Amino acid sequence: MADPGLSVPMLIQFLDLFGTAAFAATGAFKAVEHKSDIVGIIILATITGVAGGVLRDVIFGRVPPVAIANPLYVAITIGMAVAIFFLYRSFKHYEGLILKFDAVGLGVFTIIGASFAYSVFGLNFLAMAFAGIVTAVGGGILRDVFVNEVPIVFVKELYASASFAGVVAFFGMLAAGVDVNVAAIPCIALATGLRMLAMKYNWNLPRPRV
């Protein structure tokens, strides 16, 4: 249980760093599976962990991006990459746990991205949806492309859709007058929960018959 003295913004910042570590871990795992060396593992972990937020910041004119202005983000991705380089044999048995961390990161980054758009454009649904989804899925798309795989967001269980649902709920709560910090936590939980349920029950969007 969180300390009652911990403010919501501080909690979100902590989860942001946690999500960065989780996404970095998925990038590092992917790099190891593709026989990369330590430099390749660090590069892919860093891209996966911070690329979504960097892309969002550049598109919306925040220069320098948060992940560059605050070296803690890159330090976390490098630390995660090095840890997995040395401990891969131990960690690979917990791949399901890593995917759960990835789901938490998806939810957190969705709402952080949408919150940033809200602070810039106000209650603009398209801007919030774009920023939220780009932040949540950008790093994962680049990770998969860099190892020559079809991005998971295009072929696997609900992913971008879970992010979009979180943005819709967040927008709705803000439109109803709920404070942005209060609205953030349940919407993070919604996006994360949808992603976890989709993984558990193999929920997918309809596909054309070929």
Side-chain angles (χ1 to χ4, degrees):
M1 181 178 294
D3 186 336
L6 184 65
S7 69
V8 174
M10 288 181 62
L11 176 61
I12 292 176
Q13 184 176 19
F14 168 78
L15 290 174
D16 187 23
L17 295 172
F18 175 78
T20 298
F23 277 142
T26 67
F29 268 102
K30 188 76 70 173
V32 172
E33 291 168 0
H34 284 77
K35 313 300 182 184
S36 296
D37 59 18
I38 181 63
V39 174
I41 295 169
I42 290 173
I43 290 173
L44 195 59
T46 300
I47 288 172
T48 309
V50 305
V54 169
L55 181 60
R56 175 206 64 219
D57 289 351
V58 169
I59 290 173
F60 287 102
R62 177 188 279 179
V63 179
V66 173
I68 295 175
N70 184 351
L72 182 57
Y73 286 87
V74 173
I76 286 173
T77 65
I78 293 173
M80 184 60 70
V82 172
I84 290 178
F85 175 81
F86 287 108
L87 301 173
Y88 175 75
R89 290 187 178 180
S90 299
F91 284 170
K92 68 179 181 179
H93 302 298
Y94 299 96
E95 183 176 0
L97 182 61
I98 293 297
L99 291 176
K100 291 181 175 62
F101 288 165
D102 178 84
V104 173
L106 176 78
V108 171
F109 286 173
T110 293
I111 302 307
I112 287 174
S115 298
F116 172 72
Y118 176 67
S119 70
V120 175
F121 299 102
L123 205 58
N124 183 317
F125 178 75
L126 290 179
M128 292 172 64
F130 181 78
I133 293 173
V134 165
T135 307
V137 309
I141 289 176
L142 289 177
R143 174 198 63 209
D144 295 341
V145 169
F146 278 24
V147 296
N148 201 30
E149 294 182 0
V150 177
I152 189 174
V153 65
F154 298 139
V155 296
K156 292 294 287 183
E157 307 91 351
L158 300 182
Y159 200 95
S161 301
S163 176
F164 182 74
V167 173
V168 170
F170 190 56
F171 178 85
M173 293 183 72
L174 294 181
V178 179
D179 180 77
V180 61
N181 293 322
V182 175
I185 300 302
C187 295
I188 289 171
L190 173 64
T192 299
L194 281 176
R195 174 59 184 152
M196 288 186 174
L197 288 172
M199 289 189 295
K200 181 176 181 179
Y201 296 107
N202 196 32
W203 291 347
N204 292 282
L205 294 176
R207 299 175 183 175
R209 295 183 179 181
V210 294

